[in-house]
Amino acid sequence: MQNLIRFIAGIVAPMQRQFINFVRIAICIVMVWIGGLKVCQYEADGIAHFVSNNPFLSFLYKKGPNLVQNEKGEMVKEYTLYKNPEGKMVQKNIDWHKENGTYTASYIIGAMIVTIGLLTVAGIWAPTLGMAGGLLTFGMSIVTLSFLIFTPETWVPNLGGDLPTPSHGFPYLSAAGRLVIKDIIMMAGGLVAAAECASRILARR
């Protein structure tokens, strides 16, 4: 068994640089794909709850996290009244998002995400660009992980029912929360990629 472990280690160890490049490529694929989708109506609508509630991003919306009264007389965040389910087009909701600046904000966010992805993968050939991309990936991940603090939709809500619902709130991540928590992997990957580029920069001086 020990010989097998050493044999596998002998294969894996020399591949460290290639594996770090794979991290860069993986980050770029995710960033460019997700960032590129930000030009689509459904994706722009889908991030409204994240942007509206986040102190780092809410300035991009004209209405921000406004509270309004719903049909039941309850005070709710305004964006919750204009959610478009994925794959469904509701004109009044789209009109509200246009007025809110939802789509313009999504284009800006998407362009930033794509740029970070391209900078990160550029680290394969250009360590200065790659270090910038890795550090920006880390910084972007801080913002996205902050959604867990500021976005109510990242936790399972207590909607009541016939039986008690103990599994709500922390630590019960909703579908949105499970999506966000994965960015901790992006955070770590960005730092690994940035550190490797930094080592190459220092080695050539």
Side-chain angles (χ1 to χ4, degrees):
M1 177 60 74
Q2 194 65 29
N3 288 339
L4 177 61
I5 293 172
R6 291 183 65 83
F7 173 73
I8 295 172
I11 295 174
V12 173
M15 300 291 290
Q16 183 178 28
R17 174 72 188 278
Q18 287 82 354
F19 291 160
I20 293 175
N21 284 341
F22 181 52
V23 168
R24 293 187 175 101
I25 293 168
I27 289 173
C28 183
I29 289 172
V30 172
M31 296 285 208
V32 171
W33 197 333
I34 297 298
L37 286 175
K38 293 291 184 286
V39 303
C40 300
Q41 169 263 325
Y42 88 96
E43 176 68 13
D45 293 352
I47 63 171
H49 54 298
F50 292 129
V51 178
S52 289
N53 289 291
N54 195 278
F56 303 111
L57 299 173
S58 60
F59 72 93
L60 293 170
Y61 285 175
K62 294 178 181 176
K63 297 179 182 293
N66 288 351
L67 287 173
V68 296
Q69 204 171 47
N70 65 12
E71 293 177 354
K72 297 179 180 179
E74 302 166 330
M75 297 303 293
V76 297
K77 300 285 181 70
E78 188 172 2
Y79 68 84
T80 62
L81 304 178
Y82 300 96
K83 285 186 175 181
N84 274 318
E86 290 186 3
K88 186 174 184 179
M89 304 283 281
V90 180
Q91 189 59 52
K92 73 177 181 67
N93 293 346
I94 293 172
D95 291 342
W96 182 88
H97 283 292
K98 286 180 179 178
E99 183 183 346
N100 184 45
T102 300
Y103 302 121
T104 301
S106 189
Y107 301 154
I108 294 170
I109 293 170
M112 292 172 60
I113 293 172
V114 170
T115 300
I116 292 171
L118 294 175
L119 285 173
T120 302
V121 81
I124 296 174
W125 308 279
T128 302
L129 294 178
M131 183 173 69
L135 293 175
L136 286 170
T137 298
F138 172 76
M140 189 199 76
S141 298
I142 292 175
V143 175
T144 54
L145 287 169
S146 74
F147 295 153
L148 294 174
I149 300 172
F150 300 110
T151 309
E153 286 88 346
T154 55
W155 305 101
V156 174
N158 184 7
L159 298 179
D162 297 331
L163 298 172
T165 310
S167 302
H168 66 272
F170 180 86
Y172 303 105
L173 293 165
S174 66
R178 295 192 294 273
L179 178 68
V180 169
I181 196 66
K182 294 176 184 176
D183 268 26
I184 199 166
I185 301 172
M186 296 283 284
M187 176 183 280
L191 287 179
V192 169
E196 194 273 342
C197 282
S199 295
R200 284 156 56 200
I201 291 170
L202 293 175
R204 69 187 184 189
R205 291 185 178 179

